């Protein structure tokens, strides 16, 4: 699959956890490099610029294996660059979200990298209540059911966020 697969191809995909619970024993460095390369391709496609601060915020969010709050990102950047104004980080986060490169986990007021930002999609977040690891699940059947149910009652969905709390495979003993 190419870095910029079509939306139609993504929409037809089988259900999958596109960010698996691999946080416990996984060399995450390649994931971070892949996320940056994909971000560069997405920005080139969109005619947007992945500035050094935007790139660094993306790397920091991807380096962390659990959802990360904006002030945690700010602290990490501050360790590297000295004092950075909060709006600088918030603008970078807003840019990354607008281009689908990261997602906001609303229940945690935190952010995670999007493992497949090449096509817009609705993710469903599985969040471990024990270790905070998260995985993004995509399933066109869920999308279809939600939209059909809303349409039946005359409701128009404007924003969609589904978060499920439970235990990841490592915390539940692999069950």
């Amino acid at each position: 699959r190419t870095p910029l697969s079509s939306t139609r191809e993504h929409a037809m995909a089988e259900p999958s956890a596109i960010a698996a619970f691999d946080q416990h024993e996984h060399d995450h460095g390649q994931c971070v490099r892949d996320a940056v390369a994909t971000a560069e391709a997405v920005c080139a496609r969109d005619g947007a610029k992945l500035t050094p601060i935007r790139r660094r915020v993306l790397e920091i969010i991807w380096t962390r294996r659990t959802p990360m709050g904006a002030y945690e990102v700010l602290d990490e950047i501050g360790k590297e660059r000295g004092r950075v104004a909060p709006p600088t980080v918030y603008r970078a986060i807003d840019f990354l979200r607008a281009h689908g490169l990261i997602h906001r986990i609303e229940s945690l007021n935190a952010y995670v990298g999007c493992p497949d930002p090449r096509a817009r999609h609705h993710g469903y977040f599985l969040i471990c209540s024990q270790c905070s690891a998260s995985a993004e699940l995509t399933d066109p059947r869920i999308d279809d059911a939600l939209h059909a149910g809303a349409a039946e009652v005359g409701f128009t969905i404007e924003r969609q966020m589904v978060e499920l709390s439970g235990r990841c495979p490592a915390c539940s003993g692999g069950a």
Side-chain angles (χ1 to χ4, degrees):
R1 190 149 104 152
T2 63
L4 297 175
S5 297
S6 71
T7 302
R8 177 113 175 108
E9 176 186 339
H10 184 80
M12 301 304 284
E14 293 296 315
S16 66
I18 57 177
F21 288 107
D22 59 7
Q23 291 86 348
H24 299 281
E25 293 185 27
H26 173 72
D27 175 12
H28 208 49
Q30 188 60 49
C31 297
V32 175
R33 289 186 293 278
D34 290 347
V36 170
T38 300
E40 289 170 344
V42 167
C43 288
R45 177 196 68 198
D46 295 349
K49 186 172 181 182
L50 188 64
T51 64
I53 192 75
R54 292 169 179 169
R55 175 189 307 272
R56 189 63 191 127
V57 168
L58 180 67
E59 290 170 342
I60 288 169
I61 289 171
W62 264 96
T63 299
R64 177 83 168 262
R65 295 174 182 205
T66 58
M68 186 173 208
Y71 276 93
E72 292 173 295
V73 174
L74 183 64
D75 289 344
E76 287 299 314
I77 289 180
K79 290 175 189 174
E80 300 169 3
R81 299 177 182 221
R83 189 180 184 300
V84 176
T88 302
V89 170
Y90 278 108
R91 282 192 297 271
I93 287 171
D94 288 345
F95 173 89
L96 297 171
R97 284 185 69 200
H99 290 277
L101 300 168
I102 63 173
H103 296 293
R104 182 170 184 259
I105 304 291
E106 294 193 16
S107 64
L108 302 175
N109 193 22
Y111 302 91
V112 294
C114 176
D116 192 6
R118 297 166 290 207
R120 300 288 180 191
H121 60 276
H122 295 289
Y124 308 100
F125 297 93
L126 310 174
I127 305 163
C128 182
S129 57
Q130 190 167 339
C131 72
S132 298
S134 65
E136 182 180 346
L137 173 72
T138 60
D139 188 334
R141 298 171 302 178
I142 296 171
D143 289 339
D144 293 344
L146 288 172
H147 287 275
E152 283 180 23
V153 297
F155 185 80
T156 302
I157 297 173
E158 294 177 352
R159 190 174 63 86
Q160 180 176 319
M161 176 59 63
V162 177
E163 300 174 16
L164 304 163
S165 179
R167 292 190 340 189
C168 72
C171 292
S172 62

